[in-house]
Amino acid sequence: VLASGRAGWEVADAGPAGTFHKAKDMAVSMPSFERLEITSHHLAQHAFLGTYERKGLLASRPFFMQVVETPADWLGTADEAVDELAAAEALAAAAAAIAAGEEPPQPPKRQRYALWYADELEQWVITEDFRFLDLVSADVRVADTAWFPWDAVGRWEVSDAAGGFCPEPNLIV
């Protein structure tokens, strides 16, 4: 940061006069958090669990999009023999389907989610990515005005698919 671009911070004196003096070498910087992980109980199978990347700002707060598995992730890595075998079998099945004039098998479809702050509701919400900014379609929520979702002290709630929400005590952002 250029010195000319820094704000000249001042600090109030402790005396009754309430005067200010220049604070030497004081600076404020915004930490950059690019990724976050949403986890829960080890048996939980919520589709919204996983890794999220920061994509921008909304209402002066960051919003995040879930990282979706790629076909390479689905086929496995070349580091382990088991994954190589699974990848070879999947490729052979795809080649056989194409040769027979059929549609090749596809990796399992996975929904992608967005984590964002709903300013009108004063809560952090998780919605499917195509419902980003849709206030009435939250899948997960926490009523908290924290600047970052990991600072929320309220209890996260998960949609019960019947129009209500149930507490999810093991959810960690």
Side-chain angles (χ1 to χ4, degrees), residues 28 66 86 90 95-96 106 115 123:
V28 176
Q66 188 178 34
Q106 299 295 315
L115 169 61
Q123 52 186 266

Side-chain angles (χ1 to χ4, degrees), residues 13-103:
D13 289 330
T19 59
F20 288 83
H21 67 276
K22 218 169 211 9
K24 186 177 179 181
D25 297 327
M26 182 173 171
V28 176
S29 63
M30 169 76 174
S32 175
F33 300 102
E34 299 299 318
R35 294 173 75 92
L36 63 83
E37 189 79 22
I38 298 179
T39 61
S40 187
H41 188 271
H42 72 280
L43 297 176
Q45 296 183 5
H46 302 298
F48 60 82
L49 297 177
T51 303
Y52 287 69
E53 291 182 338
R54 184 174 62 91
K55 294 295 183 183
L57 292 175
L58 178 66
S60 300
R61 290 176 169 87
F63 69 90
F64 301 85
M65 291 290 182
Q66 188 178 34
V67 176
V68 181
E69 293 176 357
T70 63
D73 296 332
W74 177 63
L75 294 175
T77 64
D79 293 338
E80 298 177 17
V82 174
D83 288 338
E84 287 180 11
L85 180 60
E89 288 174 354
L91 290 174
I98 291 170
E102 300 171 2
E103 187 70 27

